[in-house]
Amino acid sequence: MVLDSMKAPYDGVTVQVELDRRDEAATVFNYRIDIQGELDEDVKRIVLNKVANCPVKKTLSKPIEFINEIIAP
């Protein structure tokens, strides 16, 4: 999506995400982005900056709270 909006030439994009649960106090997402094609360093830097600031990452980086409400008849 970012590459398309920049009209950057690329052949494909592969994203891998692994969930690391070894630490009970933290949820860690390890991710790798592989962009296939010839991109110059400026375009790579812009894409990685947009990924680092995307709304999904920002949401998942915040503390999560579960609020239960029990409704009994």
Side-chain angles (χ1 to χ4, degrees):
M1 201 159 95
V2 172
L3 292 168
D4 291 334
S5 69
M6 295 174 65
K7 296 185 182 1
Y10 69 98
D11 298 323
V13 177
T14 303
V15 178
Q16 296 175 323
V17 180
E18 292 182 7
L19 177 58
D20 182 348
R21 294 182 176 164
R22 288 179 287 183
D23 182 352
E24 289 184 18
T27 301
V28 178
F29 293 97
N30 295 305
Y31 63 95
R32 176 188 171 135
I33 302 169
D34 181 18
I35 303 170
Q36 296 89 37
E38 299 295 322
L39 294 178
D40 63 39
E41 292 302 314
D42 287 337
V43 172
K44 287 180 186 177
R45 182 178 41 78
I46 291 168
V47 169
L48 293 176
N49 185 43
K50 289 185 180 279
V51 168
N53 294 299
C54 83
V56 173
K57 183 177 182 225
K58 286 182 179 182
T59 298
L60 292 174
S61 297
K62 294 178 182 178
I64 297 173
E65 182 178 345
F66 292 89
I67 300 173
N68 295 317
E69 182 178 337
I70 298 173
I71 301 173

